[in-house]
Amino acid sequence: MSTEVLEKIKSGQETLKSWMNHMHQMPELAMTETNTSKFIADKLREIGGWEIVEGVGKTGLVASMKVGESNRSIGLRADFDALPIEEDNDLPYKSGFPGKGHLCGHDAHTTMLLGAAKYLSENKNFNGTVRLFFQPGEETMEGAPAMIADGLFEKFPVDSVFGMHNMPGLELGKFYFNTGKFMAAVDNWEIEITGKGSHGSMPELGIDPIVCGSALVMALQTIVSRNLSPWHTSVVNVGAFQSGIAGNAVPQKAILRLSIRNMDPEDRKMVLDKVRKITKAQAESFNCQVEIREGIPGTVLVNSDEETHWAANVAKQTFGAENVITDAQPYMGSEDFAFMLEKKKGNYCMVGNGDTFMVHHPQYIFNQELLPVGARYWVALVENYLK
């Protein structure tokens, strides 16, 4: 187990914490992270040695550094958008913006990569090109596609690309890897049901979108339970049902927001088709009108075998084999890093955040002891890939 580099990074841990705390107090939602992006660019300029290109995929940025004569190149990616969720804790660096919070740890992910940027700039113990991809809009699945569409891999070519996420419930500081399908494709849809408003005492004069929506929620639950084998993995989740403000009225409209997740492309096709058909049939049976607004199409995150085995071995050499799991359970959660892995070989792994509230929970807290650990992992990948 290598400790010298880790200890050197740990010596700057208070600086890392200050960077994370700043971003945590000033969260910005997906694709609006103007100030966060500027903060990252400013820190990279203070660190020095990096060629910085801003505005990649709207608010994304890329930092590049070449050392030596090798043509090999590696890409490391971190996300930096926050969530539209109210933070509920007493942290001294708690979110300063009501209804917005870094409750997934993206501020920490960015800090880890900045920590690696600082060490790599100071030591330059590699031969080749490092690209740091600071990505917006992960929560809405917009950021990675936007950067790719903006010519990410044409303007900033890499041989392989790597990502990482903290995960509550996994043992603190341990790294979790697996090859193949590792995270599900997500499709975030919105369904608008239009009925006919009326006084609540005269429901016969109205068409109730709440009743229609309630029946639809229950019907959608049959898609997975009655159309897929128990050995397959899919989720149809209705996370929001919004309609009306008065108890004595039949409202005009209802909104349902869905998060649909699939691990298999054929299952995904079937599930999405069933959502469309069931929604239209339920609306017709209740004499309602319906509009389905389909979000950005999702894709399954697939880790390539060679790069995953290699990254896991580097983690073992760096942190000890006892701190690396190579048969981690795949997740039904989703990641737009999957779009990058469609273009380039690479790996996405998890690092344990310990026994804490789950990401996206109002009381989620990232364990800041992980900041130098994550930075050390990035440094290890670079120095081994670009020997």
Side-chain angles (χ1 to χ4, degrees), residues 52-70:
I52 305 161
V53 178
E54 300 177 72
V56 182
K58 194 174 181 181
T59 52
L61 65 152
V62 177
S64 303
M65 181 183 292
K66 182 171 183 178
V67 173
E69 299 301 322
S70 172

Side-chain angles (χ1 to χ4, degrees), residues 26-60:
M26 303 184 69
E28 295 178 297
L29 301 183
M31 308 309 289
T32 66
E33 316 93 328
T34 306
N35 292 326
T36 307
S37 183
K38 183 179 182 303
F39 175 81
I40 296 167
D42 288 345
K43 292 305 165 189
L44 287 167
R45 291 188 181 98
E46 288 177 16
I47 290 168
W50 293 93
E51 180 183 332
I52 305 161
V53 178
E54 300 177 72
V56 182
K58 194 174 181 181
T59 52

Side-chain angles (χ1 to χ4, degrees), residues 228-275:
L228 278 177
S229 163
W231 301 109
H232 288 220
T233 48
S234 293
V235 173
V236 178
N237 182 67
V238 182
F241 189 155
Q242 300 171 347
S243 185
I245 56 174
N248 62 349
V250 174
Q252 185 83 0
K253 294 180 182 291
I255 297 287
L256 276 67
R257 294 192 176 94
L258 282 64
S259 178
I260 308 161
R261 299 172 188 272
N262 293 279
M263 271 291 191
D264 181 85
E266 288 302 313
D267 290 345
R268 175 175 173 267
K269 181 179 178 182
M270 182 278 294
V271 169
L272 296 183
D273 189 50
K274 287 286 186 181
V275 172

Side-chain angles (χ1 to χ4, degrees), residues 198-202 245-250:
S198 174
H199 194 285
S201 67
M202 294 173 277
I245 56 174
N248 62 349
V250 174

